[in-house]
Amino acid sequence: MPPPLLQNPMHTLLKPLLLPLLFIFPITSLTSSTTTPPPLSTTLSQWQSARATYYAASDPRNTVGVACGYGDLVKAGYGWGTVGLSESMFERGQICGACFELKCVDDLRWCIPGTAIIVSVTNFCAPNYGFTSDGGGKCNPPNKHFVLPIEAFEKIAIWKAANIPVLYRRFKCRREGGIRFTISGSGIFLSVLISNVAGAGDVTAVKIKGSRTGWLDMGRKWGQNWHVNANLQNQALSFEVTSSDRMTVISYNVAPKDWRFGQAFEGKQFETQMY
């Protein structure tokens, strides 16, 4: 069996929420109060081929979603239902937070029949140009590759397989609670980490509004960290979040006027409905 896993106790202002790994729920759609829901054809993409490997989190640092900015994945609510993507899929971090359904295929020796997992993008598998893409550089372009925690990998395949063929497709994310806004920065520089996003999962545009300002566009700093230069202290903060399927949700007065850097707040969520 693989090496035992080490997990440190985690503490947060927000309740940790572990995502289910095994696909057991029906397909969902996405609606909001400001836009119309997408047609069924955009809810799930077509199955495509890729490969997947795993890591054994013997080091607690492996639970950190560095490339997307989520930090501690347990605190951020993602648990072990996560994945790192190869360069050809990562889109320079814009896809962070999106969900994929994966299943092992074409390997009767190692695949677990009839199983699939849903995972959220939280990290990046960097290319290794010391190897060719078909000679050890598994995350080199143009390879489509998923790197999973071993807990997720073992839901669809025997761990000894190490590197398996998979089919994957985009899947609507289901989350517990609202969108999370974690504020950091100093002075007029304000950075907001946006996490726990349902529906499409990945965020393409963010606006912020102080109680004494209009709506201000935020820029992507990296992953799902967004920033703006504005003096918004001593003002209640509202957020407008748009996802990759052009759905928008507005959370008014999420942070009270006495908010402080380092605090996290929960807003509204993209609604999901069962078919």
Side-chain angles (χ1 to χ4, degrees):
M1 291 299 293
L5 304 173
L6 299 179
Q7 299 185 36
N8 285 352
M10 305 296 183
H11 300 281
T12 179
L13 294 174
L14 297 170
K15 181 181 179 181
L17 301 167
L18 300 183
L19 298 179
L21 293 176
L22 190 61
F23 170 70
I24 56 174
F25 45 83
I27 298 169
T28 61
S29 64
L30 181 62
T31 62
S32 80
S33 60
T34 59
T35 57
T36 57
L40 179 60
S41 60
T42 64
T43 302
L44 291 177
S45 61
Q46 298 295 316
W47 288 107
Q48 300 182 61
S49 298
R51 298 195 70 86
T53 51
Y54 69 85
Y55 65 88
S58 57
D59 187 331
R61 289 175 297 179
N62 286 334
T63 65
V64 175
V66 176
C68 289
Y70 294 131
D72 187 301
L73 296 177
V74 176
K75 287 183 179 181
Y78 295 103
W80 298 106
T82 62
V83 68
L85 298 184
S86 60
E87 185 172 32
S88 64
M89 302 181 70
F90 191 63
E91 301 177 4
R92 297 186 176 183
Q94 180 173 309
I95 202 169
C96 288
C99 294
F100 287 90
E101 180 184 8
L102 277 73
K103 59 183 179 181
C104 181
V105 295
D106 301 330
D107 195 333
L108 297 179
R109 182 182 181 187
W110 303 117
C111 293
I112 300 176
T115 60
I117 54 174
I118 306 298
V119 288
S120 301
V121 179
T122 59
N123 222 325
F124 173 53
C125 178
N128 183 348
Y129 293 114
F131 298 92
T132 62
S133 59
D134 59 355
K138 61 182 183 293
C139 290
N140 292 3
N143 293 347
K144 294 181 177 181
H145 198 92
F146 294 82
V147 181
L148 299 161
I150 192 169
E151 292 86 350
F153 187 93
E154 287 189 307
K155 297 291 185 179
I156 58 173
I158 306 302
W159 70 272
K160 288 184 178 180
N163 191 328
I164 59 172
V166 295
L167 289 178
Y168 74 93
R169 60 183 175 181
R170 282 287 297 267
F171 198 86
K172 291 292 182 181
C173 303
R174 299 183 67 192
R175 309 293 190 205
E176 295 290 336
I179 298 173
R180 298 178 186 175
F181 303 90
T182 304
I183 303 173
S184 60
S186 177
I188 66 169
F189 180 82
L190 188 144
S191 179
V192 180
L193 169 64
I194 299 178
S195 60
N196 201 51
V197 180
D202 51 340
V203 176
T204 57
V206 180
K207 294 182 180 181
I208 188 171
K209 181 184 181 302
S211 53
R212 299 193 300 272
T213 73
W215 287 104
L216 306 173
D217 290 325
M218 302 191 75
R220 187 189 303 274
K221 187 178 177 184
W222 53 283
Q224 291 301 351
N225 276 287
W226 297 77
H227 67 92
V228 69
N229 288 332
N231 185 0
L232 296 174
Q233 296 186 30
N234 300 313
Q235 298 183 57
L237 303 181
S238 303
F239 294 93
E240 178 184 293
V241 177
T242 301
S243 56
S244 62
D245 56 359
R246 300 184 298 278
M247 303 295 290
T248 296
V249 65
I250 300 176
S251 300
Y252 289 104
N253 300 320
V254 170
K257 66 178 182 179
D258 59 349
W259 63 268
R260 295 290 182 268
F261 291 115
Q263 291 183 313
F265 303 93
E266 187 171 296
K268 292 184 178 180
Q269 184 61 274
F270 290 100
E271 296 178 2
T272 56
Q273 294 179 349
M274 306 295 288
Y275 279 114

